[in-house]
Amino acid sequence: ILLQVPFQTGLETNVEVKTESSSPFVPQLRFAASTFTGFGAFLPNPRSPSAYGGLDLLAVHEDWSALVTSVTPARPGEILHLYGTGFGCVDSQPPDGTPAPADPPARTITPITCWAWGADNFTKMDIPVLFAGLAPGLAGVDQMDVRVPAANLRPSVQLNCIGEGDSSNFYGSFEVKP
């Protein structure tokens, strides 16, 4: 069973799991206390590594017309919408199970910074994060909007991001039209 623990759940919460009497399954639940949130980027196909060893991120084009894939790659300079969970505490947390507000959106308190290596493998390019916070209209989903660099790109950009806490980082890839 994969579940998302509501944000407002305390560390001393009791959880009850029921199974059928004939099931050999014995539930073992663990909740970890943490001083940081920790990214969990969504992946459109978790078994599909990118050309540079990362995993393809769930990236949506600027106009929300399609997922970013090798068939519909991102364009240089385009804004991409990335989705996941655990991007950090936000400035206006809605009640659990409630869709996130759109106006104003709930933004992460701690800034998220992203970068990628250029096509020459030596140039470290900052990837501007235009928005990071709760995905407007969705419950329990985070969104990050980034601008694709305009030049010096590999066909598959390996995105590296750091947020709240020392271990709160992730990396993943998206395809770019050269």
Side-chain angles (χ1 to χ4, degrees):
I1 300 171
L2 178 62
L3 63 102
Q4 181 181 26
V5 177
F7 185 81
Q8 296 165 345
T9 302
L11 294 177
E12 299 297 322
T13 300
N14 291 324
V15 177
E16 184 177 337
V17 177
K18 294 183 180 184
T19 61
E20 292 186 28
S21 62
S22 61
S23 172
F25 175 75
V26 176
Q28 295 181 355
L29 300 175
R30 286 188 237 172
F31 293 92
S34 178
T35 59
F36 59 88
T37 306
F39 285 113
F42 293 159
L43 310 172
N45 185 355
R47 294 190 178 103
S48 173
S50 74
Y52 292 95
L55 295 171
D56 291 331
L57 296 171
L58 178 60
V60 179
H61 284 280
E62 183 171 354
D63 62 1
W64 284 279
S65 61
L67 292 177
V68 174
T69 67
S70 59
V71 176
T72 57
R75 298 176 311 279
E78 180 179 13
I79 296 170
L80 299 182
H81 311 287
L82 309 175
Y83 294 91
T85 188
F87 287 9
C89 296
V90 293
D91 55 12
S92 58
Q93 180 69 42
D96 287 339
T98 303
D103 189 20
R107 297 178 179 276
T108 57
I109 295 169
T110 302
I112 296 174
T113 57
C114 297
W115 59 274
W117 292 112
D120 60 7
N121 290 325
F122 295 107
T123 305
K124 185 177 178 181
M125 301 181 302
D126 289 330
I127 308 293
V129 177
L130 306 173
F131 169 77
L134 299 178
L138 300 177
V141 177
D142 290 330
Q143 177 179 328
M144 182 169 46
D145 298 340
V146 299
R147 184 176 301 279
V148 178
N152 193 24
L153 299 170
R154 298 174 172 180
S156 179
V157 172
Q158 181 73 44
L159 185 69
N160 300 274
C161 297
I162 299 173
E164 189 174 293
D166 293 338
S167 299
S168 181
N169 56 33
F170 78 90
Y171 66 93
S173 300
F174 54 86
E175 301 296 320
V176 177
K177 184 177 186 175

